[in-house]
Amino acid sequence: MSAVTTLLTDDQLAVVETTLDFAQEHLAPHAVAWDQDKHFPVDVLRKAAGLGLGGVYVREDVGGSELSRSDGVLVFEALATGCPSIAGYLSIHNMVGWMIDRYGTGAQRGRYLPALCAMEQLGSYCLTEPGAGSDAAALSTRAVRDGDHYVLTGTKQFISGAGASHLYIVLARTGEAGPRGISAFLVERDDSGLSFGADERKMGWNAQPTRQVLMDGVRIPAGRMLGEEGGGFRIAMNGLNGGRLGIAACSLGGAQSALDRSVSHLADREAFGARLLDAQALRFRLADMATELAAARALVRQAAEALDRNVAGAPQLCAMAKHFATDTGYSVADRALQLHGGYGYLAEYGIEKIVRDLRVHQILEGTNEIMRVVVARSLTGGLR
């Protein structure tokens, strides 16, 4: 894991070592069983909160750790070495916490963030719809003002943590078509009219539930709008900048685990009278995998620093990092499976689980095709 800790400060090294220890003690030994049993280990999430991982970016006055994005990508990479599915959910939960901390009122911060940071309550992010995936600005869920309340109606699709989570940031249309007509709301699990679809049967990410969020006239106080009316799309996109870095970092961690396991496997196996690790062709494959991960890690950390400094090109760098790191992570994990031969295809070795988990990272938080759109727009936006 030396590549993960390159050029870190003493404080960052301490964060990485603590998180790696947690991942190896509490996540890695159970990851395959959780995947097979489709078990969401809420008790383990609360143990993670004891290390400050329930409110990574949230300010300290409400129980958060108040870490930077540069620190956060280290946290999520380290967590994903134990289980990318659990690390991915924690990234989403922390995106919810950051959005409330950044855009919420004092009352909203005080009401929700202490419980989210302690993971006594879990959070989910509800943007995607059955008919509005990549075209997020075309969402059709509506929020209609009725006196001192809003009434929400619509369906959200592919929501991580749905049903188990207590709090949902829901993006809904309050005005005109397009992004300017979208607002953000805080919906609670016990709100009347809120229900959930069946748990989706998925290729990976089985250690967390994924369900539809169904709103049939959910009536909530107007004070549960997050930010200003019509400002929801900007809030959602700013949240996704950090969310994309979290998922990119999870891809690095999962792939690093697959690479480390491959080195050990090749050292233990013999063929034709010699260790597989001594075969130059296989050593070159390992070298390529390590080099590609190092390049992806550098881009993720560059994007995180840009987001911390709020530089103008930060959203484009986040899109580049998400695209490159998730493509690279999946590719490295797939090659690690191949290096394990038939053993890589067996569930008990954990490699095929990493491959399945990392595949969805190329889709969620904005597909990698949309990441290319974001980057291309930044390059050509001034040209007519």
Side-chain angles (χ1 to χ4, degrees):
M1 297 297 295
S2 59
V4 178
T5 56
T6 301
L7 302 177
L8 302 184
T9 66
D10 289 343
D11 287 344
Q12 288 175 327
L13 282 170
V15 167
V16 170
E17 289 171 3
T18 299
T19 310
L20 279 173
D21 287 345
F22 178 86
Q24 295 310 305
E25 180 179 355
H26 296 288
L27 301 185
H30 311 291
V32 171
W34 291 340
D35 175 75
Q36 293 177 339
D37 296 339
K38 297 179 172 54
H39 174 65
F40 188 38
V42 175
D43 58 329
V44 177
L45 295 178
R46 290 177 178 151
K47 289 180 182 178
L51 298 178
L53 304 182
V56 172
Y57 309 116
V58 173
R59 282 170 280 177
E60 292 180 350
D61 65 310
V62 286
S65 299
E66 203 166 341
L67 298 183
S68 67
R69 296 293 182 180
S70 296
D71 298 328
V73 295
L74 303 176
V75 166
F76 292 113
E77 178 174 359
L79 280 171
T81 63
C83 179
S85 177
I86 295 303
Y89 173 74
L90 277 165
S91 174
I92 293 167
H93 173 88
N94 275 279
M95 180 170 65
V96 169
W98 177 85
M99 292 168 74
I100 297 171
D101 192 46
R102 173 66 177 79
Y103 295 102
T105 64
Q108 290 169 344
R109 293 181 69 247
R111 175 171 179 171
Y112 295 114
L113 289 176
L116 288 174
C117 290
M119 300 200 82
E120 295 168 0
Q121 296 189 354
L122 307 180
S124 289
Y125 175 72
C126 304
L127 175 62
T128 301
E129 297 183 359
S134 294
D135 187 6
L139 62 84
S140 61
T141 295
R142 296 203 65 84
V144 178
R145 185 73 183 247
D146 182 17
D148 293 332
H149 292 76
Y150 280 91
V151 180
L152 279 67
T153 302
T155 299
K156 296 296 182 178
Q157 182 79 29
F158 305 131
I159 306 305
S160 294
S165 289
H166 303 77
L167 183 65
Y168 301 83
I169 293 183
V170 175
L171 282 299
R173 189 164 302 285
T174 53
E176 63 188 81
R180 294 182 181 178
I182 295 172
S183 301
F185 297 90
L186 299 166
V187 177
E188 299 176 6
R189 185 172 63 186
D190 294 334
D191 286 332
S192 179
L194 185 70
S195 62
F196 307 97
D199 199 359
E200 302 285 2
R201 298 173 63 187
K202 299 168 295 187
M203 176 180 175
W205 268 34
N206 290 317
Q208 55 166 289
T210 301
R211 303 167 71 177
Q212 286 187 329
V213 173
L214 310 170
M215 290 162 285
D216 183 11
V218 176
R219 186 179 182 85
I220 63 173
R224 285 212 239 140
M225 176 180 283
L226 183 63
E228 301 176 352
E229 184 166 331
F233 192 77
R234 179 176 61 88
I235 292 173
M237 293 301 105
N238 287 342
L240 281 173
N241 287 333
R244 287 164 180 165
L245 291 181
I247 292 303
C250 289
S251 289
L252 296 176
Q256 185 67 52
S257 176
L259 174 58
D260 293 342
R261 296 182 195 204
S262 297
V263 173
S264 297
H265 178 77
L266 295 180
D268 291 340
R269 295 282 293 172
E270 289 189 2
F272 307 107
R275 291 191 313 167
L276 291 178
L277 191 61
D278 294 328
Q280 188 177 66
L282 299 184
R283 293 168 73 94
F284 281 2
R285 288 193 194 182
L286 295 173
D288 288 344
M289 292 157 70
T291 301
E292 291 166 25
L293 275 180
R297 183 175 293 114
L299 182 54
V300 169
R301 293 183 184 179
Q302 180 187 3
E305 183 175 358
L307 199 57
D308 282 333
R309 296 186 179 185
N310 197 30
V311 302
Q316 291 75 35
L317 279 170
C318 290
M320 289 180 182
K322 192 271 179 181
H323 158 214
F324 188 69
T326 59
D327 279 356
T328 299
Y330 177 73
S331 174
V332 167
D334 186 59
R335 279 176 280 169
L337 190 155
Q338 188 73 18
L339 287 172
H340 277 75
Y343 294 99
Y345 207 65
L346 300 181
E348 65 189 89
Y349 281 76
I351 296 295
E352 60 86 31
K353 175 197 178 295
I354 294 174
V355 173
R356 289 186 288 105
D357 281 349
L358 296 195
R359 181 61 183 86
V360 76
H361 293 193
Q362 297 169 293
I363 297 171
L364 53 79
E365 308 291 41
T367 67
N368 284 0
E369 288 76 16
I370 292 298
M371 297 305 96
R372 292 177 173 90
V373 170
V374 173
V375 175
R377 188 179 294 148
S378 72
L379 296 173
T380 63
L383 302 176
R384 293 291 186 269

